[in-house]
Amino acid sequence: MRELGRRLAKLLRAGDLVMLSGELGAGKTTLTRGLGEGLGVRGAVTSPTFVIARVHPSLGDGPPLVHVDAYRLSGGLDEMEDLDLDVSLPESVVVVEWGEGKVEELTEDRLQVVIHRAVGDTTDEVRHMTITGLGERWASADLTVLIA
Ligand SMILES: Nc1ncnc2c1ncn2[C@@H]1O[C@H](COP(=O)(O)OP(=O)(O)OP(=O)(O)O)[C@@H](O)[C@H]1O
Ligand SMILES: [Mg+2]
């Protein structure tokens, strides 16, 4: 998952929104950690307990990574608006866990990553992923580099 995050980082640029879906422990944060490594940003990507959005500035001249865990956000768009993601998105890569129904209004262009994990089998470390590019931004993007 981490390696996939690293590969995904190569496709991303400022203004990109990535939505990560999948049950608790599916690997959303793990993927984001790899993404942060691939983008070369400062600070370890972690599962926030209280912090809902964390900005990881680039160590080079790339875009910062804004990592949002919206799990504890219940109020939908009002609470989301307080995060000012619309302000940071144009110059950042924004990755959101648990963002369904909360961040879609930010942009029509987004990469939708769904992580499936075999339910009930705790020994199964294998994840299956569905990655869908939505909107103009991703219309002609070559996502096969992720599986090469
Ligand atoms: N193939 C795998 N990919 C990702 N994580 C894995 C894999 N195999 C085992 N794991 C473990 O599963 C856990 C995934 O946790 P992670 O925090 O990334 O999930 P999450 O989807 O962010 O969960 P949450 O919904 O609580 O935020 C980690 O402890 C990780 O070590
Ligand atoms: Mg997480």
Side-chain angles (χ1 to χ4, degrees):
M1 198 64 69
R2 204 160 159 177
E3 171 61 23
L4 191 90
R6 286 196 203 104
R7 290 184 197 180
L8 189 55
K10 297 195 180 80
L11 296 179
L12 297 174
R13 59 182 191 227
D16 284 341
L17 173 68
V18 180
M19 268 181 70
L20 300 178
S21 308
E23 68 205 75
L24 283 168
K28 301 179 291 295
T29 301
T30 307
L31 189 151
T32 309
R33 191 165 297 146
L35 236 168
E37 289 166 1
L39 288 174
V41 297
R42 192 195 310 156
V45 170
T46 56
S47 290
T49 308
F50 298 109
V51 181
I52 288 161
R54 179 172 286 156
V55 182
H56 298 269
S58 175
L59 292 167
D61 50 14
L65 169 66
V66 178
H67 176 213
V68 182
D69 190 326
Y71 188 69
R72 287 160 197 84
L73 281 186
S74 51
L77 285 170
D78 284 355
E79 270 179 289
M80 282 312 283
E81 271 169 24
D82 290 342
L83 298 179
D84 284 334
L85 291 178
D86 52 335
V87 176
S88 42
L89 181 60
E91 69 249 22
S92 317
V93 169
V94 178
V95 177
V96 188
E97 300 184 40
W98 298 105
E100 296 83 358
K102 297 171 184 168
V103 293
E104 289 87 348
E105 285 186 15
L106 277 174
T107 169
E108 309 213 312
D109 297 315
R110 63 180 184 273
L111 203 60
Q112 197 100 40
V113 178
V114 183
I115 307 170
H116 313 273
R117 185 185 175 183
V119 182
D121 183 358
T122 50
T123 61
D124 185 6
E125 303 286 277
V126 176
R127 267 71 167 167
H128 298 272
M129 326 239 324
T130 309
I131 303 180
T132 313
L134 302 176
E136 190 101 17
R137 159 75 174 97
W138 296 103
S140 56
D142 181 13
L143 298 180
T144 58
V145 296
L146 296 174
I147 53 171

